[in-house]
Amino acid sequence: KTTASLETSVTVSERTGILVDLSTTSINYDNDSIIAEQREGSLSRALIGFSYSVSGKINSSAKVGAAQRSFESGDIDSDTALTWNVELVWTPRTYSTITAYTAQTANETSVGGGYIDSNYSLVSWDHEFSEYFALTADVSLASDAYYDVNGDTDREDDTLSYGLTGTYSPAKAMDVYASLKQAERDSTSTGLDYDQQVITLGLKLAI
């Protein structure tokens, strides 16, 4: 993939700004198979929106526009869809942050000429209880629609994920962390549902 992009912000006032986001991605594959050739093309996105902040406690941005997935193969029609990117960060205290985020984008699939229309939403909470202990809680929902070469939806997945991560910092150069992540996928395709739980223990050292 080769991507060219332009992102700019025009200040309107101390609290608000206008956002412009333009990008185009050329999608090429080293594989010379027919499937790879069908998938080659480009993804172009154009969004416009605004940013808004209040006293450093609330920072938000919202962009909306269109995304076009085109294919070099003349047998496959281009597809244009609504796209967006919205984020809200609330910091009620210097040691506590709540983030809400949602976005729509297009991803590649292994199906020839196809692509994935992806919607993703996340809510997270980061809190430092003391200089030694911090906690992160998050929940997210990913909704993926798989489109075939004819532009028809042949598969839809909904994946709900949530987790907790605790970090203990006995020294400035050391973090000990533990996390529990749960993910559940519900798919319209037989045999693709899953229920996954991951427990992680780790150590980070700064040198």
Side-chain angles (χ1 to χ4, degrees), residues 33 59 106 156:
S33 67
N59 292 284
E156 294 183 0

Side-chain angles (χ1 to χ4, degrees), residues 25-161:
T25 301
S26 177
I27 302 171
N28 299 291
Y29 293 87
D30 294 332
N31 191 334
D32 293 331
S33 67
I34 295 177
I35 292 179
E37 291 178 358
Q38 287 180 324
R39 294 171 63 192
E40 291 185 343
S42 64
L43 173 65
S44 300
R45 300 172 74 243
L47 300 93
I48 188 169
F50 68 92
S51 60
Y52 182 75
S53 63
V54 180
S55 303
K57 290 189 175 182
I58 297 178
N59 292 284
S60 62
S61 65
K63 295 182 289 186
V64 64
Q68 183 182 65
R69 179 64 166 96
S70 59
F71 302 93
E72 293 181 2
S73 173
D75 297 329
I76 304 173
D77 294 331
S78 299
D79 184 76
T80 302
L82 180 69
T83 185
W84 65 84
N85 190 307
V86 180
E87 183 177 43
L88 174 65
V89 180
W90 178 37
T91 309
R93 297 289 187 271
T94 57
Y95 50 81
S96 188
T97 301
I98 297 173
T99 301
Y101 175 81
T102 181
Q104 189 281 340
T105 188
N107 293 314
E108 291 301 291
T109 176
S110 58
V111 179
Y115 70 98
I116 307 171
D117 183 49
S118 299
N119 297 331
Y120 179 77
S121 298
L122 166 75
V123 177
S124 66
W125 175 51
D126 296 283
H127 189 88
E128 295 180 3
F129 290 91
S130 69
E131 62 178 309
Y132 300 108
F133 182 70
L135 181 70
T136 298
D138 62 80
V139 58
S140 66
L141 176 64
S143 297
D144 298 324
Y146 290 70
Y147 287 84
D148 60 20
V149 295
N150 300 314
D152 298 322
T153 305
D154 56 2
R155 170 185 164 189
E156 294 183 0
D157 294 348
D158 289 324
T159 305
L160 177 65
S161 303

